[in-house]
Amino acid sequence: MRVIIRKTYEEISDIATKLVASRIEKKPAFVLGLATGSSPLGLYRGLIDMNKKGLISFKKVKTFNLDEYYGLKGDHPQSYRYFMNTNLFDHIDIDKANTMVPDGMAQNWEEFCRNYEQKIKEAGGIDLQVLGIGSDGHIAFNEPGSSLTSRTRLVALDAQTIEDNARFFEDKNQVPRFALSMGVGTILEAKEIILIANGKNKAKAIAQAIEGPLTSIISASALQMHPRVSYFLDEEAASELKRVNYYRFVEGAEKKLGKEIF
Ligand code: F6R
């Protein structure tokens, strides 16, 4: 596990951008797992910028998003498909046919979820998964208590999640009650994972995920089981970590060696 801490969100977004870009440079037919929400926006802006400057290409890249509200069409402004189009896909040279976001209107959701997992396999698996973290420690829509071996499935949203997301809708009754989400087990199969977190309201969840016990109540703690995870944290999100000195020491050692140390 790598924990990279910087003062500002801009700095961590910049480092995350460089990491993702360097991986795509090495493997142009990259399979990239993506998240929505505010945390990866700086990364997406960075990738758009590099693409516009001709420094990276997404022509051969395939993407799989973590989740989507169940019951929202892709053109709904609160759908995750809409979010991805407007915040990333519309601005880079990616073929939209290669961008997969769970279909919030899938009638037979069980079959849809099986096929989604199958598509990931057929693409050769996810090379790198981008994650954010909820203030309750969730990753994707894996609400506290989600099985650590869960797969892509229909998830009933927690009352707190519905409450938190109500601000994006005209009224609370319009917030979907369900979502389609990759499971914790699906996420753990990605070959590499980066998690971006900023702000004081993520500090507790980050400390629990990185330094707390492995528990389904904090679904991000499952990342302790993964051999290639990098956390990109601003100082506020890192403020409840106990081993910051060690993480900084390891980063220094990485610089000396010219290699990442997981
Ligand atoms: C969204 C997703 C969620 C978010 C999390 C943090 O695709 O997977 O788990 O990453 O809710 O959201 P933000 O980044 O808005 O704080």
Side-chain angles (χ1 to χ4, degrees), residues 73-109:
K73 285 194 186 140
D75 59 1
H76 189 289
Q78 293 308 329
S79 75
Y80 287 178
R81 160 56 74 183
Y82 187 90
F83 176 100
M84 289 312 303
N85 285 350
T86 52
N87 287 296
L88 183 64
F89 302 148
D90 286 347
H91 311 288
I92 56 175
D93 62 348
I94 200 162
D95 177 352
K96 283 251 178 78
N98 287 335
T99 67
M100 274 58 76
V101 180
D103 176 7
M105 299 305 285
Q107 291 291 311
N108 185 341
W109 51 266

PDB file of all heavy atoms in Angstrom, residues 73-109:
ATOM      1  N   LYS A  73     -32.389   7.141 -16.499  1.00  0.00           N
ATOM      2  CA  LYS A  73     -31.892   6.997 -17.872  1.00  0.00           C
ATOM      3  C   LYS A  73     -30.549   7.716 -17.982  1.00  0.00           C
ATOM      4  O   LYS A  73     -30.280   8.662 -17.241  1.00  0.00           O
ATOM      5  CB  LYS A  73     -32.874   7.651 -18.842  1.00  0.00           C
ATOM      6  CG  LYS A  73     -34.123   6.857 -19.075  1.00  0.00           C
ATOM      7  CD  LYS A  73     -34.838   7.439 -20.298  1.00  0.00           C
ATOM      8  CE  LYS A  73     -36.179   6.747 -20.459  1.00  0.00           C
ATOM      9  NZ  LYS A  73     -37.238   7.662 -20.845  1.00  0.00           N
ATOM     10  N   GLY A  74     -29.758   7.303 -18.963  1.00  0.00           N
ATOM     11  CA  GLY A  74     -28.420   7.881 -19.150  1.00  0.00           C
ATOM     12  C   GLY A  74     -28.424   9.366 -19.444  1.00  0.00           C
ATOM     13  O   GLY A  74     -27.404  10.042 -19.262  1.00  0.00           O
ATOM     14  N   ASP A  75     -29.575   9.906 -19.908  1.00  0.00           N
ATOM     15  CA  ASP A  75     -29.581  11.344 -20.196  1.00  0.00           C
ATOM     16  C   ASP A  75     -30.118  12.169 -19.007  1.00  0.00           C
ATOM     17  O   ASP A  75     -30.243  13.381 -19.096  1.00  0.00           O
ATOM     18  CB  ASP A  75     -30.365  11.655 -21.484  1.00  0.00           C
ATOM     19  CG  ASP A  75     -31.813  11.178 -21.400  1.00  0.00           C
ATOM     20  OD1 ASP A  75     -32.215  10.635 -20.339  1.00  0.00           O
ATOM     21  OD2 ASP A  75     -32.550  11.345 -22.392  1.00  0.00           O
ATOM     22  N   HIS A  76     -30.429  11.489 -17.898  1.00  0.00           N
ATOM     23  CA  HIS A  76     -30.862  12.221 -16.701  1.00  0.00           C
ATOM     24  C   HIS A  76     -29.638  12.939 -16.115  1.00  0.00           C
ATOM     25  O   HIS A  76     -28.584  12.308 -15.922  1.00  0.00           O
ATOM     26  CB  HIS A  76     -31.443  11.234 -15.679  1.00  0.00           C
ATOM     27  CG  HIS A  76     -32.105  11.909 -14.513  1.00  0.00           C
ATOM     28  ND1 HIS A  76     -31.392  12.588 -13.548  1.00  0.00           N
ATOM     29  CD2 HIS A  76     -33.414  12.016 -14.168  1.00  0.00           C
ATOM     30  CE1 HIS A  76     -32.235  13.085 -12.652  1.00  0.00           C
ATOM     31  NE2 HIS A  76     -33.463  12.749 -13.011  1.00  0.00           N
ATOM     32  N   PRO A  77     -29.763  14.232 -15.823  1.00  0.00           N
ATOM     33  CA  PRO A  77     -28.588  14.979 -15.338  1.00  0.00           C
ATOM     34  C   PRO A  77     -27.953  14.410 -14.061  1.00  0.00           C
ATOM     35  O   PRO A  77     -26.806  14.693 -13.784  1.00  0.00           O
ATOM     36  CB  PRO A  77     -29.142  16.390 -15.068  1.00  0.00           C
ATOM     37  CG  PRO A  77     -30.420  16.470 -15.790  1.00  0.00           C
ATOM     38  CD  PRO A  77     -30.941  15.076 -16.001  1.00  0.00           C
ATOM     39  N   GLN A  78     -28.688  13.609 -13.295  1.00  0.00           N
ATOM     40  CA  GLN A  78     -28.092  13.013 -12.091  1.00  0.00           C
ATOM     41  C   GLN A  78     -27.584  11.595 -12.324  1.00  0.00           C
ATOM     42  O   GLN A  78     -27.089  10.953 -11.389  1.00  0.00           O
ATOM     43  CB  GLN A  78     -29.089  13.032 -10.921  1.00  0.00           C
ATOM     44  CG  GLN A  78     -29.407  14.431 -10.425  1.00  0.00           C
ATOM     45  CD  GLN A  78     -28.168  15.254 -10.118  1.00  0.00           C
ATOM     46  OE1 GLN A  78     -27.135  14.733  -9.714  1.00  0.00           O
ATOM     47  NE2 GLN A  78     -28.250  16.552 -10.341  1.00  0.00           N
ATOM     48  N   SER A  79     -27.755  11.099 -13.566  1.00  0.00           N
ATOM     49  CA  SER A  79     -27.259   9.736 -13.808  1.00  0.00           C
ATOM     50  C   SER A  79     -25.740   9.772 -13.906  1.00  0.00           C
ATOM     51  O   SER A  79     -25.144  10.800 -14.245  1.00  0.00           O
ATOM     52  CB  SER A  79     -27.864   9.162 -15.089  1.00  0.00           C
ATOM     53  OG  SER A  79     -27.242   9.749 -16.221  1.00  0.00           O
ATOM     54  N   TYR A  80     -25.150   8.648 -13.587  1.00  0.00           N
ATOM     55  CA  TYR A  80     -23.684   8.584 -13.617  1.00  0.00           C
ATOM     56  C   TYR A  80     -23.171   8.535 -15.065  1.00  0.00           C
ATOM     57  O   TYR A  80     -22.054   8.970 -15.337  1.00  0.00           O
ATOM     58  CB  TYR A  80     -23.194   7.390 -12.793  1.00  0.00           C
ATOM     59  CG  TYR A  80     -23.345   7.621 -11.287  1.00  0.00           C
ATOM     60  CD1 TYR A  80     -22.987   6.638 -10.377  1.00  0.00           C
ATOM     61  CD2 TYR A  80     -23.810   8.840 -10.785  1.00  0.00           C
ATOM     62  CE1 TYR A  80     -23.095   6.866  -9.001  1.00  0.00           C
ATOM     63  CE2 TYR A  80     -23.929   9.067  -9.422  1.00  0.00           C
ATOM     64  CZ  TYR A  80     -23.568   8.082  -8.536  1.00  0.00           C
ATOM     65  OH  TYR A  80     -23.668   8.308  -7.179  1.00  0.00           O
ATOM     66  N   ARG A  81     -23.993   8.021 -15.977  1.00  0.00           N
ATOM     67  CA  ARG A  81     -23.619   8.072 -17.394  1.00  0.00           C
ATOM     68  C   ARG A  81     -23.492   9.531 -17.841  1.00  0.00           C
ATOM     69  O   ARG A  81     -22.519   9.918 -18.484  1.00  0.00           O
ATOM     70  CB  ARG A  81     -24.663   7.313 -18.239  1.00  0.00           C
ATOM     71  CG  ARG A  81     -24.690   7.647 -19.705  1.00  0.00           C
ATOM     72  CD  ARG A  81     -23.352   7.460 -20.411  1.00  0.00           C
ATOM     73  NE  ARG A  81     -22.999   6.078 -20.648  1.00  0.00           N
ATOM     74  CZ  ARG A  81     -21.833   5.712 -21.214  1.00  0.00           C
ATOM     75  NH1 ARG A  81     -20.926   6.618 -21.581  1.00  0.00           N
ATOM     76  NH2 ARG A  81     -21.568   4.436 -21.408  1.00  0.00           N
ATOM     77  N   TYR A  82     -24.453  10.342 -17.459  1.00  0.00           N
ATOM     78  CA  TYR A  82     -24.445  11.769 -17.816  1.00  0.00           C
ATOM     79  C   TYR A  82     -23.209  12.441 -17.198  1.00  0.00           C
ATOM     80  O   TYR A  82     -22.508  13.216 -17.849  1.00  0.00           O
ATOM     81  CB  TYR A  82     -25.737  12.415 -17.310  1.00  0.00           C
ATOM     82  CG  TYR A  82     -25.926  13.849 -17.749  1.00  0.00           C
ATOM     83  CD1 TYR A  82     -26.597  14.144 -18.937  1.00  0.00           C
ATOM     84  CD2 TYR A  82     -25.458  14.906 -16.977  1.00  0.00           C
ATOM     85  CE1 TYR A  82     -26.778  15.469 -19.347  1.00  0.00           C
ATOM     86  CE2 TYR A  82     -25.633  16.227 -17.372  1.00  0.00           C
ATOM     87  CZ  TYR A  82     -26.295  16.492 -18.552  1.00  0.00           C
ATOM     88  OH  TYR A  82     -26.472  17.803 -18.957  1.00  0.00           O
ATOM     89  N   PHE A  83     -22.943  12.110 -15.945  1.00  0.00           N
ATOM     90  CA  PHE A  83     -21.781  12.667 -15.239  1.00  0.00           C
ATOM     91  C   PHE A  83     -20.490  12.336 -15.996  1.00  0.00           C
ATOM     92  O   PHE A  83     -19.632  13.199 -16.217  1.00  0.00           O
ATOM     93  CB  PHE A  83     -21.713  12.079 -13.820  1.00  0.00           C
ATOM     94  CG  PHE A  83     -20.507  12.509 -13.017  1.00  0.00           C
ATOM     95  CD1 PHE A  83     -20.603  13.513 -12.060  1.00  0.00           C
ATOM     96  CD2 PHE A  83     -19.266  11.895 -13.208  1.00  0.00           C
ATOM     97  CE1 PHE A  83     -19.481  13.908 -11.319  1.00  0.00           C
ATOM     98  CE2 PHE A  83     -18.145  12.290 -12.476  1.00  0.00           C
ATOM     99  CZ  PHE A  83     -18.259  13.297 -11.534  1.00  0.00           C
ATOM    100  N   MET A  84     -20.356  11.080 -16.403  1.00  0.00           N
ATOM    101  CA  MET A  84     -19.115  10.666 -17.075  1.00  0.00           C
ATOM    102  C   MET A  84     -18.976  11.330 -18.437  1.00  0.00           C
ATOM    103  O   MET A  84     -17.883  11.747 -18.829  1.00  0.00           O
ATOM    104  CB  MET A  84     -19.060   9.142 -17.226  1.00  0.00           C
ATOM    105  CG  MET A  84     -18.843   8.387 -15.939  1.00  0.00           C
ATOM    106  SD  MET A  84     -17.491   8.985 -14.879  1.00  0.00           S
ATOM    107  CE  MET A  84     -16.072   8.904 -15.966  1.00  0.00           C
ATOM    108  N   ASN A  85     -20.093  11.417 -19.171  1.00  0.00           N
ATOM    109  CA  ASN A  85     -20.023  12.074 -20.485  1.00  0.00           C
ATOM    110  C   ASN A  85     -19.582  13.523 -20.325  1.00  0.00           C
ATOM    111  O   ASN A  85     -18.682  13.981 -21.014  1.00  0.00           O
ATOM    112  CB  ASN A  85     -21.389  12.037 -21.178  1.00  0.00           C
ATOM    113  CG  ASN A  85     -21.710  10.644 -21.721  1.00  0.00           C
ATOM    114  OD1 ASN A  85     -20.856   9.762 -21.753  1.00  0.00           O
ATOM    115  ND2 ASN A  85     -22.948  10.437 -22.124  1.00  0.00           N
ATOM    116  N   THR A  86     -20.241  14.226 -19.391  1.00  0.00           N
ATOM    117  CA  THR A  86     -19.976  15.667 -19.311  1.00  0.00           C
ATOM    118  C   THR A  86     -18.639  15.988 -18.632  1.00  0.00           C
ATOM    119  O   THR A  86     -18.033  17.010 -18.931  1.00  0.00           O
ATOM    120  CB  THR A  86     -21.126  16.409 -18.584  1.00  0.00           C
ATOM    121  OG1 THR A  86     -21.351  15.740 -17.336  1.00  0.00           O
ATOM    122  CG2 THR A  86     -22.403  16.392 -19.378  1.00  0.00           C
ATOM    123  N   ASN A  87     -18.191  15.121 -17.724  1.00  0.00           N
ATOM    124  CA  ASN A  87     -16.942  15.430 -17.011  1.00  0.00           C
ATOM    125  C   ASN A  87     -15.698  14.785 -17.599  1.00  0.00           C
ATOM    126  O   ASN A  87     -14.588  15.124 -17.202  1.00  0.00           O
ATOM    127  CB  ASN A  87     -17.062  15.036 -15.542  1.00  0.00           C
ATOM    128  CG  ASN A  87     -17.957  15.987 -14.789  1.00  0.00           C
ATOM    129  OD1 ASN A  87     -17.650  17.168 -14.652  1.00  0.00           O
ATOM    130  ND2 ASN A  87     -19.105  15.487 -14.335  1.00  0.00           N
ATOM    131  N   LEU A  88     -15.897  13.827 -18.522  1.00  0.00           N
ATOM    132  CA  LEU A  88     -14.700  13.196 -19.103  1.00  0.00           C
ATOM    133  C   LEU A  88     -14.884  12.812 -20.582  1.00  0.00           C
ATOM    134  O   LEU A  88     -14.200  13.348 -21.451  1.00  0.00           O
ATOM    135  CB  LEU A  88     -14.291  11.961 -18.267  1.00  0.00           C
ATOM    136  CG  LEU A  88     -13.017  11.256 -18.716  1.00  0.00           C
ATOM    137  CD1 LEU A  88     -11.791  12.169 -18.566  1.00  0.00           C
ATOM    138  CD2 LEU A  88     -12.774   9.961 -17.920  1.00  0.00           C
ATOM    139  N   PHE A  89     -15.810  11.896 -20.850  1.00  0.00           N
ATOM    140  CA  PHE A  89     -15.837  11.265 -22.175  1.00  0.00           C
ATOM    141  C   PHE A  89     -16.036  12.260 -23.324  1.00  0.00           C
ATOM    142  O   PHE A  89     -15.468  12.087 -24.406  1.00  0.00           O
ATOM    143  CB  PHE A  89     -16.926  10.183 -22.246  1.00  0.00           C
ATOM    144  CG  PHE A  89     -16.778   9.088 -21.219  1.00  0.00           C
ATOM    145  CD1 PHE A  89     -17.908   8.447 -20.693  1.00  0.00           C
ATOM    146  CD2 PHE A  89     -15.526   8.685 -20.763  1.00  0.00           C
ATOM    147  CE1 PHE A  89     -17.779   7.435 -19.749  1.00  0.00           C
ATOM    148  CE2 PHE A  89     -15.389   7.674 -19.809  1.00  0.00           C
ATOM    149  CZ  PHE A  89     -16.525   7.051 -19.301  1.00  0.00           C
ATOM    150  N   ASP A  90     -16.876  13.299 -23.105  1.00  0.00           N
ATOM    151  CA  ASP A  90     -17.138  14.270 -24.188  1.00  0.00           C
ATOM    152  C   ASP A  90     -15.900  15.094 -24.534  1.00  0.00           C
ATOM    153  O   ASP A  90     -15.892  15.788 -25.545  1.00  0.00           O
ATOM    154  CB  ASP A  90     -18.247  15.265 -23.774  1.00  0.00           C
ATOM    155  CG  ASP A  90     -19.622  14.624 -23.791  1.00  0.00           C
ATOM    156  OD1 ASP A  90     -19.752  13.511 -24.345  1.00  0.00           O
ATOM    157  OD2 ASP A  90     -20.566  15.224 -23.243  1.00  0.00           O
ATOM    158  N   HIS A  91     -14.879  15.042 -23.686  1.00  0.00           N
ATOM    159  CA  HIS A  91     -13.732  15.939 -23.875  1.00  0.00           C
ATOM    160  C   HIS A  91     -12.438  15.222 -24.251  1.00  0.00           C
ATOM    161  O   HIS A  91     -11.387  15.853 -24.314  1.00  0.00           O
ATOM    162  CB  HIS A  91     -13.490  16.729 -22.578  1.00  0.00           C
ATOM    163  CG  HIS A  91     -14.746  17.352 -22.050  1.00  0.00           C
ATOM    164  ND1 HIS A  91     -15.334  18.432 -22.671  1.00  0.00           N
ATOM    165  CD2 HIS A  91     -15.544  17.013 -21.005  1.00  0.00           C
ATOM    166  CE1 HIS A  91     -16.447  18.748 -21.994  1.00  0.00           C
ATOM    167  NE2 HIS A  91     -16.591  17.902 -20.999  1.00  0.00           N
ATOM    168  N   ILE A  92     -12.505  13.893 -24.427  1.00  0.00           N
ATOM    169  CA  ILE A  92     -11.282  13.147 -24.787  1.00  0.00           C
ATOM    170  C   ILE A  92     -11.553  12.315 -26.045  1.00  0.00           C
ATOM    171  O   ILE A  92     -12.708  12.182 -26.468  1.00  0.00           O
ATOM    172  CB  ILE A  92     -10.816  12.228 -23.615  1.00  0.00           C
ATOM    173  CG1 ILE A  92     -11.929  11.266 -23.176  1.00  0.00           C
ATOM    174  CG2 ILE A  92     -10.315  13.064 -22.436  1.00  0.00           C
ATOM    175  CD1 ILE A  92     -11.508  10.257 -22.113  1.00  0.00           C
ATOM    176  N   ASP A  93     -10.475  11.750 -26.609  1.00  0.00           N
ATOM    177  CA  ASP A  93     -10.622  11.050 -27.886  1.00  0.00           C
ATOM    178  C   ASP A  93     -11.047   9.588 -27.713  1.00  0.00           C
ATOM    179  O   ASP A  93     -10.608   8.717 -28.471  1.00  0.00           O
ATOM    180  CB  ASP A  93      -9.311  11.145 -28.695  1.00  0.00           C
ATOM    181  CG  ASP A  93      -8.136  10.474 -27.988  1.00  0.00           C
ATOM    182  OD1 ASP A  93      -8.266  10.132 -26.788  1.00  0.00           O
ATOM    183  OD2 ASP A  93      -7.077  10.301 -28.621  1.00  0.00           O
ATOM    184  N   ILE A  94     -11.890   9.308 -26.726  1.00  0.00           N
ATOM    185  CA  ILE A  94     -12.324   7.923 -26.491  1.00  0.00           C
ATOM    186  C   ILE A  94     -13.510   7.593 -27.389  1.00  0.00           C
ATOM    187  O   ILE A  94     -14.312   8.480 -27.720  1.00  0.00           O
ATOM    188  CB  ILE A  94     -12.674   7.700 -24.997  1.00  0.00           C
ATOM    189  CG1 ILE A  94     -12.648   6.212 -24.641  1.00  0.00           C
ATOM    190  CG2 ILE A  94     -14.035   8.320 -24.626  1.00  0.00           C
ATOM    191  CD1 ILE A  94     -12.555   5.933 -23.144  1.00  0.00           C
ATOM    192  N   ASP A  95     -13.602   6.317 -27.805  1.00  0.00           N
ATOM    193  CA  ASP A  95     -14.765   5.848 -28.557  1.00  0.00           C
ATOM    194  C   ASP A  95     -15.851   5.539 -27.507  1.00  0.00           C
ATOM    195  O   ASP A  95     -15.658   4.666 -26.654  1.00  0.00           O
ATOM    196  CB  ASP A  95     -14.353   4.584 -29.329  1.00  0.00           C
ATOM    197  CG  ASP A  95     -15.507   3.971 -30.095  1.00  0.00           C
ATOM    198  OD1 ASP A  95     -16.660   4.423 -29.927  1.00  0.00           O
ATOM    199  OD2 ASP A  95     -15.239   3.024 -30.864  1.00  0.00           O
ATOM    200  N   LYS A  96     -16.991   6.241 -27.578  1.00  0.00           N
ATOM    201  CA  LYS A  96     -18.024   6.062 -26.527  1.00  0.00           C
ATOM    202  C   LYS A  96     -18.479   4.606 -26.422  1.00  0.00           C
ATOM    203  O   LYS A  96     -18.927   4.166 -25.359  1.00  0.00           O
ATOM    204  CB  LYS A  96     -19.229   6.957 -26.806  1.00  0.00           C
ATOM    205  CG  LYS A  96     -19.004   8.409 -26.452  1.00  0.00           C
ATOM    206  CD  LYS A  96     -19.811   8.813 -25.195  1.00  0.00           C
ATOM    207  CE  LYS A  96     -19.551  10.248 -24.828  1.00  0.00           C
ATOM    208  NZ  LYS A  96     -20.265  11.212 -25.649  1.00  0.00           N
ATOM    209  N   ALA A  97     -18.362   3.864 -27.535  1.00  0.00           N
ATOM    210  CA  ALA A  97     -18.757   2.448 -27.495  1.00  0.00           C
ATOM    211  C   ALA A  97     -17.865   1.661 -26.532  1.00  0.00           C
ATOM    212  O   ALA A  97     -18.217   0.564 -26.093  1.00  0.00           O
ATOM    213  CB  ALA A  97     -18.680   1.846 -28.898  1.00  0.00           C
ATOM    214  N   ASN A  98     -16.705   2.226 -26.229  1.00  0.00           N
ATOM    215  CA  ASN A  98     -15.783   1.561 -25.294  1.00  0.00           C
ATOM    216  C   ASN A  98     -15.929   2.058 -23.857  1.00  0.00           C
ATOM    217  O   ASN A  98     -15.091   1.788 -23.014  1.00  0.00           O
ATOM    218  CB  ASN A  98     -14.330   1.777 -25.746  1.00  0.00           C
ATOM    219  CG  ASN A  98     -14.016   0.947 -26.971  1.00  0.00           C
ATOM    220  OD1 ASN A  98     -14.637  -0.073 -27.213  1.00  0.00           O
ATOM    221  ND2 ASN A  98     -13.050   1.406 -27.757  1.00  0.00           N
ATOM    222  N   THR A  99     -16.984   2.834 -23.599  1.00  0.00           N
ATOM    223  CA  THR A  99     -17.209   3.331 -22.236  1.00  0.00           C
ATOM    224  C   THR A  99     -18.429   2.624 -21.644  1.00  0.00           C
ATOM    225  O   THR A  99     -19.539   2.773 -22.140  1.00  0.00           O
ATOM    226  CB  THR A  99     -17.433   4.866 -22.216  1.00  0.00           C
ATOM    227  OG1 THR A  99     -18.662   5.179 -22.882  1.00  0.00           O
ATOM    228  CG2 THR A  99     -16.288   5.603 -22.872  1.00  0.00           C
ATOM    229  N   MET A 100     -18.191   1.828 -20.645  1.00  0.00           N
ATOM    230  CA  MET A 100     -19.281   1.053 -20.049  1.00  0.00           C
ATOM    231  C   MET A 100     -19.677   1.656 -18.685  1.00  0.00           C
ATOM    232  O   MET A 100     -18.823   1.867 -17.818  1.00  0.00           O
ATOM    233  CB  MET A 100     -18.841  -0.408 -19.832  1.00  0.00           C
ATOM    234  CG  MET A 100     -19.024  -1.321 -21.038  1.00  0.00           C
ATOM    235  SD  MET A 100     -18.169  -0.835 -22.550  1.00  0.00           S
ATOM    236  CE  MET A 100     -16.504  -1.319 -22.154  1.00  0.00           C
ATOM    237  N   VAL A 101     -20.969   1.940 -18.570  1.00  0.00           N
ATOM    238  CA  VAL A 101     -21.531   2.394 -17.288  1.00  0.00           C
ATOM    239  C   VAL A 101     -22.743   1.486 -17.075  1.00  0.00           C
ATOM    240  O   VAL A 101     -23.497   1.255 -18.032  1.00  0.00           O
ATOM    241  CB  VAL A 101     -21.987   3.877 -17.353  1.00  0.00           C
ATOM    242  CG1 VAL A 101     -22.571   4.330 -16.019  1.00  0.00           C
ATOM    243  CG2 VAL A 101     -20.828   4.795 -17.755  1.00  0.00           C
ATOM    244  N   PRO A 102     -22.955   0.934 -15.888  1.00  0.00           N
ATOM    245  CA  PRO A 102     -24.138   0.084 -15.705  1.00  0.00           C
ATOM    246  C   PRO A 102     -25.406   0.793 -16.201  1.00  0.00           C
ATOM    247  O   PRO A 102     -25.544   2.011 -16.033  1.00  0.00           O
ATOM    248  CB  PRO A 102     -24.174  -0.148 -14.192  1.00  0.00           C
ATOM    249  CG  PRO A 102     -22.759   0.006 -13.744  1.00  0.00           C
ATOM    250  CD  PRO A 102     -22.167   1.060 -14.640  1.00  0.00           C
ATOM    251  N   ASP A 103     -26.288   0.001 -16.809  1.00  0.00           N
ATOM    252  CA  ASP A 103     -27.518   0.550 -17.397  1.00  0.00           C
ATOM    253  C   ASP A 103     -28.603   0.649 -16.319  1.00  0.00           C
ATOM    254  O   ASP A 103     -29.177  -0.368 -15.915  1.00  0.00           O
ATOM    255  CB  ASP A 103     -27.954  -0.367 -18.544  1.00  0.00           C
ATOM    256  CG  ASP A 103     -29.276   0.086 -19.153  1.00  0.00           C
ATOM    257  OD1 ASP A 103     -29.784   1.171 -18.775  1.00  0.00           O
ATOM    258  OD2 ASP A 103     -29.796  -0.664 -20.009  1.00  0.00           O
ATOM    259  N   GLY A 104     -28.865   1.867 -15.884  1.00  0.00           N
ATOM    260  CA  GLY A 104     -29.846   2.093 -14.821  1.00  0.00           C
ATOM    261  C   GLY A 104     -31.264   1.711 -15.210  1.00  0.00           C
ATOM    262  O   GLY A 104     -32.148   1.683 -14.360  1.00  0.00           O
ATOM    263  N   MET A 105     -31.487   1.424 -16.499  1.00  0.00           N
ATOM    264  CA  MET A 105     -32.834   1.064 -16.951  1.00  0.00           C
ATOM    265  C   MET A 105     -32.942  -0.431 -17.282  1.00  0.00           C
ATOM    266  O   MET A 105     -33.966  -0.865 -17.814  1.00  0.00           O
ATOM    267  CB  MET A 105     -33.217   1.894 -18.181  1.00  0.00           C
ATOM    268  CG  MET A 105     -33.248   3.394 -17.938  1.00  0.00           C
ATOM    269  SD  MET A 105     -34.316   3.865 -16.567  1.00  0.00           S
ATOM    270  CE  MET A 105     -35.926   3.643 -17.328  1.00  0.00           C
ATOM    271  N   ALA A 106     -31.894  -1.188 -16.981  1.00  0.00           N
ATOM    272  CA  ALA A 106     -31.918  -2.627 -17.315  1.00  0.00           C
ATOM    273  C   ALA A 106     -33.124  -3.295 -16.635  1.00  0.00           C
ATOM    274  O   ALA A 106     -33.256  -3.218 -15.408  1.00  0.00           O
ATOM    275  CB  ALA A 106     -30.624  -3.280 -16.850  1.00  0.00           C
ATOM    276  N   GLN A 107     -33.991  -3.903 -17.453  1.00  0.00           N
ATOM    277  CA  GLN A 107     -35.182  -4.556 -16.896  1.00  0.00           C
ATOM    278  C   GLN A 107     -34.777  -5.758 -16.050  1.00  0.00           C
ATOM    279  O   GLN A 107     -35.182  -5.888 -14.909  1.00  0.00           O
ATOM    280  CB  GLN A 107     -36.097  -5.029 -18.037  1.00  0.00           C
ATOM    281  CG  GLN A 107     -36.754  -3.908 -18.816  1.00  0.00           C
ATOM    282  CD  GLN A 107     -37.805  -3.183 -17.969  1.00  0.00           C
ATOM    283  OE1 GLN A 107     -38.646  -3.828 -17.358  1.00  0.00           O
ATOM    284  NE2 GLN A 107     -37.740  -1.858 -17.938  1.00  0.00           N
ATOM    285  N   ASN A 108     -33.973  -6.607 -16.701  1.00  0.00           N
ATOM    286  CA  ASN A 108     -33.515  -7.804 -15.998  1.00  0.00           C
ATOM    287  C   ASN A 108     -32.142  -7.494 -15.378  1.00  0.00           C
ATOM    288  O   ASN A 108     -31.111  -7.731 -15.988  1.00  0.00           O
ATOM    289  CB  ASN A 108     -33.430  -8.964 -17.009  1.00  0.00           C
ATOM    290  CG  ASN A 108     -33.088 -10.269 -16.328  1.00  0.00           C
ATOM    291  OD1 ASN A 108     -32.584 -10.286 -15.198  1.00  0.00           O
ATOM    292  ND2 ASN A 108     -33.350 -11.363 -17.009  1.00  0.00           N
ATOM    293  N   TRP A 109     -32.169  -6.928 -14.191  1.00  0.00           N
ATOM    294  CA  TRP A 109     -30.909  -6.457 -13.626  1.00  0.00           C
ATOM    295  C   TRP A 109     -29.955  -7.583 -13.257  1.00  0.00           C
ATOM    296  O   TRP A 109     -28.738  -7.424 -13.293  1.00  0.00           O
ATOM    297  CB  TRP A 109     -31.127  -5.508 -12.455  1.00  0.00           C
ATOM    298  CG  TRP A 109     -32.050  -5.995 -11.379  1.00  0.00           C
ATOM    299  CD1 TRP A 109     -33.383  -5.745 -11.282  1.00  0.00           C
ATOM    300  CD2 TRP A 109     -31.716  -6.822 -10.270  1.00  0.00           C
ATOM    301  NE1 TRP A 109     -33.897  -6.361 -10.180  1.00  0.00           N
ATOM    302  CE2 TRP A 109     -32.892  -7.026  -9.532  1.00  0.00           C
ATOM    303  CE3 TRP A 109     -30.534  -7.405  -9.818  1.00  0.00           C
ATOM    304  CZ2 TRP A 109     -32.926  -7.810  -8.379  1.00  0.00           C
ATOM    305  CZ3 TRP A 109     -30.558  -8.175  -8.667  1.00  0.00           C
ATOM    306  CH2 TRP A 109     -31.747  -8.373  -7.961  1.00  0.00           C
TER     307      TRP A 109
END
